[in-house]
Amino acid sequence: MAATVRTVLSRVLPQSGALAASLTAGASSRLPAATSTLLHRCRSTGAPDEVVTLEQFRPETSSVPSTMDIGTRRIFTEDHDIFRASVRRFWAEEVAPNHTQYEKDGQVSREVWLKAGEQGLLGVNTPEELGGIGADVLYSAVVWEEQMYSNCSGPGYAMHSDIVMPYIQKYGTPEQHERLLPAMVAGSKIGALAMTEPGAGSDLQGIRTNAKKDGDDWILNGSKVFITNGWMADVIIVVAITNPQAKSAAHGISLFLVEEGMPGFKKGRKLEKIGMKAQDTAELFFDDVRLPPSALLGQENRGFVYLMQELPQERLIIADMAIASSEFMFEETRNYVKERKAFGKTVSRLQTIQHKLAEIKTDIVVGRAFLDQCLELHNQGRLDSNTASMAKFWASDLQNRVATQCLQMHGGWGYMWEYPIAKAFVDSRVQPIYGGSNEIMKELIARNIVT
Amino acid sequence: MWPIFDYGRFVSIISSSDVYGVVWMRSLAQLHKMANLRVLVGVKRVIDYAVKIRVKPDNSGVVTDGVKHSMNPFCEIAMEEAVRLKEKKLAKEIIAVSCGPAQAQETIRTALAMGADRGIHVEVTGKEYENMTPLHVSKIMAKLAQDQEANLVILGKQSIDGDNNQTGQMTAALLDWPQATFASEVTKENDHLKVVREIDGGLETVKVTLPAVITADLRLNEPRYATLPNIMKAKKKKIAKHKAADFGVDLTPTLEVVGVEDPPVRQAGQKVESTEELVAKLKDSGVV
């Protein structure tokens, strides 16, 4: 019991720089006096009868009415709940009503980015000194999860705040921080990350976009495709070869900050995808773009190292969104089958449907337990790339299985675009592909097993 | 010129222009006082409005264990109004108060995240909490208003669990302060507040001098989201803890709940073919 208590208390860690020392602090020294009110006795076999206070007893998603309920999951605190309630409202009131229009336009509006900035939904994990909100990564997770719960895949806030901004924050110069981060937190500058090219996706080392030195400047040439937020982006981190003679491609890659308006930089078109219709994924072209020395992000030829360091968070985001989307699809389907009638009773009375729902819920709850573990580790700075890869491939595969089964349970209506399950289904298909395809994830995991 | 200046309940007639300067300073002081309201806002933790209420098997009350709770919607509106007063520089401090068990602190924290400066938690637990009534709460609120030197108390018009619609009125009576209940609009005018009230017949506008008690109705405002920067700031704000006895309030119940039941299940109706049949059936049942 004491061990459980300590694990549960570990979620009360300070934001950045959480260390093992906090984990070993005595339980009584960290619970505020007021919360020692007896509210629940834990009765588990063999465990001593110990008092469990309210602050400790946060139920997991397996035992509450809805897997999306606020006030669940021990990795979160009441403050996360307060934030989650207002984020949920934001997605429901500011984004969802316009989402159909965004799908028609193939992009969201500038206003919704600015509104998100106003509400403090962008740059959540960016330190306060650099103009961000300075909250821990679990608050960022609340934003990703609520996006999936609202089924609005259009806005690329997660890419912007939790993939692009960390690169600038960690490897940027003070000048770059000042110029870009506050505007990105406000939503007036939108960020994107350009790695994939028409000829190279998984094979990142096979990219052809290159930057050649010209005096102090760089001349950038090449193209990128499938870039999230690409059409609306104001600042793009471009991965380019800077040393073609390096011993391996990985040692000759650098990151550049290319901004909208630079001569030679053109956005091709918004790509027509089978899902995520409101997301402005685009292709980008660089035609002798002159980049000043201040456009280099980090050190020359160290780009690959930076990418390897940041990819675990990117994979964690995809995995967490996968489980959250599965939770949404499950709840949506459960509500549908309880209403839909067939053969004189509701579809939810059919045993085949009931067993299917039981299987799906169990899979989701098990997946959620692993994801919460990964989120907690990441919050402590202890999530390794291997574990993140496992989470990414397993969760995205689960999401697709759940999507297929849930759509099936909707019957003909599941095939109709107006039904949320249909959109969630097509949106889920890209998850096993981007952020590092699942095949590559298995490659990485296997390396640790057999060497 | 014999100007007449209204100082709250007092009216003074200034006869000499020599004193004009003093009077001008005094009315500035009045203005200064207006611009420095200390607002006490009551926030109650209730079962969330979206939850399906279930009666306990022994009919002694409703099931609250493990049920989702949140801030009473009218208290949210009251809190929002206080924050707007502060933004208009009419209020200098907002104190959020809640009477209840430990979990009430979560409600106070939400109020802090919305913009309250500090919180007061009056801890009431167990049977005392179950039997607490508006009379007990208003005695506590009245004492607090005096201790904290508040000059405006804003409450929700009623809570969605008790639906009593008494606390605001009783608090005003105990303090002997004017009250403006069911407020749908509050504006400051010189040295008083102009409040538009929603009443059965329509809208009524009243003028209340300060200090006063206001209760918020639905259309007073639209509560804001608690933004993350405010949630982070709220962590540093203080919540003071007290017991009802600290205010000399005895929580002995004055009412006894005899039973709680579900509303009767809706009975099936009857379809009739003609008006004559309808009238005949109504006569038979003794309704007409």
Side-chain angles (χ1 to χ4, degrees), chain A residues 76 145 242 277 333 412 425 427:
Chain A
F76 292 119
E145 292 170 10
T242 40
K277 302 252 184 210
T333 307
F425 173 77
D427 287 350

Side-chain angles (χ1 to χ4, degrees), chain A residues 248-270:
Chain A
S248 82
H251 288 85
I253 286 178
S254 305
L255 305 181
F256 290 96
L257 290 164
V258 179
E259 290 177 65
E260 168 70 2
M262 284 181 169
F265 168 39
K266 214 165 59 81
K267 292 171 178 171
R269 63 193 169 105
K270 282 180 274 197

Side-chain angles (χ1 to χ4, degrees), chain B residues 88-107:
Chain B
K88 288 184 209 157
K89 305 255 190 283
L90 296 170
K92 72 162 181 265
E93 195 184 19
I94 303 171
I95 308 164
V97 185
S98 195
C99 305
Q103 300 96 305
Q105 281 184 65
E106 194 182 322
T107 312

Side-chain angles (χ1 to χ4, degrees), chain B residues 30 47 49 53 89 102 112 133 158 164 175 190:
Chain B
Q30 199 71 5
I47 296 180
Y49 75 90
I53 307 290
K89 305 255 190 283
L112 293 174
T133 62
Q158 65 197 62
N164 290 300
L175 286 166
N190 301 320

Side-chain angles (χ1 to χ4, degrees), chain B:
Chain B
M1 195 53 197
W2 295 55
I4 298 173
F5 294 89
D6 207 30
Y7 296 130
R9 298 196 185 146
F10 305 104
V11 177
S12 312
I13 301 173
I14 312 303
S15 55
S16 163
S17 52
D18 297 327
V19 197
Y20 197 88
V22 175
V23 161
W24 177 239
M25 275 162 61
R26 265 157 137 191
S27 75
L28 259 186
Q30 199 71 5
L31 220 67
H32 186 71
K33 191 176 116 180
M34 264 310 300
N36 281 293
L37 291 174
R38 181 175 282 122
V39 188
L40 197 67
V41 180
V43 293
K44 188 178 180 187
R45 177 178 181 265
V46 298
I47 296 180
D48 188 82
Y49 75 90
V51 168
K52 192 169 187 311
I53 307 290
R54 282 179 302 133
V55 176
K56 283 193 201 155
D58 62 357
N59 290 100
S60 63
V62 298
V63 176
T64 54
D65 247 357
V67 172
K68 177 155 190 262
H69 285 67
S70 42
M71 193 192 289
N72 182 36
F74 295 108
C75 298
E76 269 182 19
I77 297 174
M79 201 42 238
E80 172 66 22
E81 196 59 25
V83 175
R84 288 189 190 190
L85 284 173
K86 190 156 176 224
E87 283 171 349
K88 288 184 209 157
K89 305 255 190 283
L90 296 170
K92 72 162 181 265
E93 195 184 19
I94 303 171
I95 308 164
V97 185
S98 195
C99 305
Q103 300 96 305
Q105 281 184 65
E106 194 182 322
T107 312
I108 300 176
R109 266 208 284 277
T110 309
L112 293 174
M114 283 175 80
D117 296 294
R118 56 189 169 90
I120 296 178
H121 173 214
V122 182
E123 194 166 14
V124 183
T125 55
K127 271 263 161 275
E128 281 194 327
Y129 179 60
E130 280 171 37
N131 294 321
M132 195 170 69
T133 62
L135 184 55
H136 298 127
V137 176
S138 34
K139 283 180 181 169
I140 296 172
M141 291 298 295
K143 192 73 177 43
L144 264 174
Q146 286 167 333
D147 288 350
Q148 299 293 329
E149 291 176 1
N151 38 26
L152 182 60
V153 176
I154 313 182
L155 303 172
K157 71 171 180 182
Q158 65 197 62
S159 64
I160 59 174
D161 51 6
D163 279 321
N164 290 300
N165 178 16
Q166 295 169 0
T167 311
Q169 292 87 333
M170 285 179 174
T171 308
L174 288 166
L175 286 166
D176 194 27
W177 286 6
Q179 58 182 266
T181 52
F182 313 113
S184 67
E185 200 184 311
V186 176
T187 24
K188 162 231 160 193
E189 254 179 25
N190 301 320
D191 59 345
H192 58 260
L193 294 173
K194 185 182 90 172
V195 181
V196 178
R197 305 178 59 227
E198 294 199 10
I199 59 173
D200 286 346
L203 297 173
E204 180 191 63
T205 309
V206 297
K207 200 161 85 171
V208 276
T209 57
L210 291 164
V213 174
I214 295 180
T215 72
D217 207 327
L218 192 62
R219 281 157 282 272
L220 179 57
N221 60 48
E222 172 102 31
R224 63 193 57 202
Y225 309 116
T227 64
L228 188 51
N230 283 343
I231 296 172
M232 304 298 288
K233 273 188 231 156
K235 279 203 233 246
K236 304 187 189 112
K237 295 179 185 173
K238 300 217 183 321
I239 302 179
K241 276 177 255 311
H242 295 281
K243 289 238 168 340
D246 297 350
F247 306 107
V249 175
D250 178 10
L251 289 175
T252 313
T254 51
L255 296 173
E256 185 196 335
V257 172
V258 173
V260 177
E261 283 159 15
D262 278 305
V265 177
R266 193 174 165 175
Q267 300 295 326
Q270 282 182 331
K271 261 177 136 165
V272 294
E273 296 298 311
S274 68
T275 334
E276 289 81 13
E277 205 186 326
L278 173 64
V279 174
K281 282 221 188 284
L282 285 172
K283 281 195 176 148
D284 281 343
S285 65
V287 174
V288 293

Side-chain angles (χ1 to χ4, degrees), chain A residues 115-128:
Chain A
K115 278 219 176 84
E118 254 175 68
Q119 295 299 329
L121 262 64
L122 303 175
V124 168
N125 197 215
T126 304
E128 249 182 291

Side-chain angles (χ1 to χ4, degrees), chain A residues 9-41:
Chain A
L9 286 173
S10 65
R11 56 119 176 92
V12 182
L13 286 169
Q15 298 161 23
S16 46
L19 296 169
S22 354
L23 278 176
T24 53
S28 56
S29 65
R30 276 194 291 112
L31 275 181
T35 55
S36 56
T37 315
L38 164 61
L39 283 161
H40 194 92
R41 266 188 196 282

Side-chain angles (χ1 to χ4, degrees), chain A residues 232-302:
Chain A
M232 293 177 78
D234 302 292
V235 55
I236 299 146
I237 299 176
V238 179
V239 177
I241 295 178
T242 40
N243 185 2
Q245 276 82 44
K247 55 183 177 199
S248 82
H251 288 85
I253 286 178
S254 305
L255 305 181
F256 290 96
L257 290 164
V258 179
E259 290 177 65
E260 168 70 2
M262 284 181 169
F265 168 39
K266 214 165 59 81
K267 292 171 178 171
R269 63 193 169 105
K270 282 180 274 197
L271 300 166
E272 221 182 303
K273 311 181 288 292
I274 60 168
M276 290 194 148
K277 302 252 184 210
Q279 162 49 229
D280 55 305
T281 321
E283 54 185 9
L284 311 173
F285 297 105
F286 311 102
D287 196 8
D288 283 336
V289 182
R290 179 166 288 275
L291 299 171
S294 61
L296 179 65
L297 182 63
Q299 289 179 316
E300 202 182 322
N301 297 323
R302 295 273 296 167

